[in-house]
């Protein structure tokens, strides 16, 4: 998978290109088994039927990677925003055997939003989605999207619930954590994995999961919001 910019916005400032984990660092291990092939009671087909057309709310479109043209709009719906894009792999956050400076040349040891203990998220454990940092093209917070907000990620007729966990470049869209990709059957390797197309991201407005790292809660909250989304669109 073509990796996007070699830096990312995380938190309040621009982080330098990652440091390596050094001698004796943990190396890449096998991907953990996906928790679920399909989460919740709402099917992928039900959700996709409601996002067939796009009412564009972004002031322009995004690229899926640094070298591609801008073709992806952010679309509005009742109670949600959505986009259809690729999936690049975000391995940023706490250092693990699968996410570190050796396995990921673009690794950052922080995420824009943190766990309840103040530590960065764990990309190979927690399903999370990356949103573009606020810009003149689109400001996620003004659209009712915030850290810990619930996202339904759909790929290959599977639904995976995730949270908004990180921010990325202002001109690029389509990225999620190692754990999100792995659960959907997408190669989660941060350097070579991902998929070039076919991923739908539905972000539910004014939603939140607390603590952000509680994935089971994201699933239960997300399933209820997905049912409302089906009824209201």
């Amino acid at each position: 998978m073509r990796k996007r910019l070699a830096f990312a916005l995380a938190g309040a400032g621009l982080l330098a290109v990652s440091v390596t984990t050094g001698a004796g660092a943990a190396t890449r291990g096998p991907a953990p088994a996906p928790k679920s092939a399909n989460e919740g009671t709402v099917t992928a087909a039900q959700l996709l039927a409601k996002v067939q057309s796009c009412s564009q709310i972004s002031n322009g479109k995004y690229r899926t990677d640094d070298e591609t043209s801008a073709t992806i709009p952010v679309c509005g719906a009742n109670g949600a925003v959505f986009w259809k894009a690729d999936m690049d792999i975000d391995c940023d956050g706490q250092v693990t055997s699968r996410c570190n400076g050796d396995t990921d040349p673009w690794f950052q040891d922080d995420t824009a939003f943190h766990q309840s203990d103040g530590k960065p998220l764990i990309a190979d454990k927690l399903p999370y989605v990356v949103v573009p940092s606020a810009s003149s093209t689109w400001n996620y917070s003004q659209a009712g999207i915030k850290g810990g907000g619930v996202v339904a990620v759909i790929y290959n007729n599977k639904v995976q619930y995730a949270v908004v966990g990180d921010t990325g470049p202002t001109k690029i869209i389509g990225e999620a954590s190692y754990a999100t990709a792995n659960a959907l059957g997408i190669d989660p390797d941060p350097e070579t994995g991902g998929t070039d197309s076919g991923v739908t991201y539905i972000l539910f407005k004014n939603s939140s999961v607390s603590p952000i790292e509680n994935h089971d809660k994201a699933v239960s909250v997300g399933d209820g919001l997905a049912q409302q989304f089906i009824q209201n669109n």
Side-chain angles (χ1 to χ4, degrees):
M1 183 67 185
R2 295 185 303 275
K3 185 69 179 184
R4 55 197 56 194
L5 299 178
F7 55 84
L9 287 169
L14 185 66
L15 299 179
V17 175
S18 75
V19 296
T20 62
T21 54
T27 55
R28 186 177 327 208
K35 283 189 174 182
S36 174
N38 196 80
E39 296 183 320
T41 61
V42 178
T43 67
Q46 287 176 301
L47 289 169
L48 291 175
K50 302 297 183 178
V51 295
Q52 292 299 307
S53 61
C54 175
S55 175
Q56 183 172 330
I57 61 172
S58 55
N59 298 317
K61 298 181 180 180
Y62 288 93
R63 295 177 287 184
T64 56
D65 291 285
D66 192 36
E67 67 272 25
T68 61
S69 57
T71 60
I72 309 298
V74 176
C75 310
N78 287 331
V81 302
F82 67 91
W83 55 82
K84 301 178 181 182
D86 66 340
M87 183 184 287
D88 287 336
I89 309 303
D90 190 337
C91 231
D92 294 345
Q94 295 187 43
V95 174
T96 69
S97 62
R98 289 173 288 269
C99 291
N100 56 70
D102 292 333
T103 62
D104 182 1
W106 304 274
F107 179 74
Q108 305 287 341
D109 61 359
D110 199 7
T111 48
F113 307 106
H114 290 173
Q115 296 180 160
S116 55
D117 61 4
K119 296 180 180 180
L121 304 181
I122 304 174
D124 64 2
K125 179 180 179 181
L126 180 69
Y128 70 73
V129 165
V130 181
V131 296
S133 294
S135 71
S136 58
T137 302
W138 183 60
N139 186 328
Y140 65 90
S141 62
Q142 292 180 359
I145 306 303
K146 56 187 175 181
V150 183
V151 187
V153 188
I154 306 159
Y155 177 75
N156 197 23
N157 294 317
K158 299 175 184 177
V159 179
Q160 172 73 14
Y161 289 102
V163 292
V164 175
D166 206 359
T167 56
T170 58
K171 296 182 179 180
I172 296 175
I173 207 166
E175 186 174 11
S177 69
Y178 183 114
T180 309
N182 190 51
L184 289 169
I186 296 170
D187 181 356
D189 187 288
E191 186 172 6
T192 61
T195 183
D196 285 330
S197 63
V199 185
T200 299
Y201 304 81
I202 302 175
L203 292 75
F204 299 109
K205 295 180 180 178
N206 302 311
S207 63
S208 65
V209 172
S210 182
I212 191 173
E213 65 268 22
N214 188 334
H215 178 63
D216 289 340
K217 189 169 183 180
V219 175
S220 62
V221 172
D223 191 50
L225 290 170
Q227 293 175 27
Q228 294 178 23
F229 181 76
I230 296 301
Q231 294 172 358
N232 297 335
N233 287 276

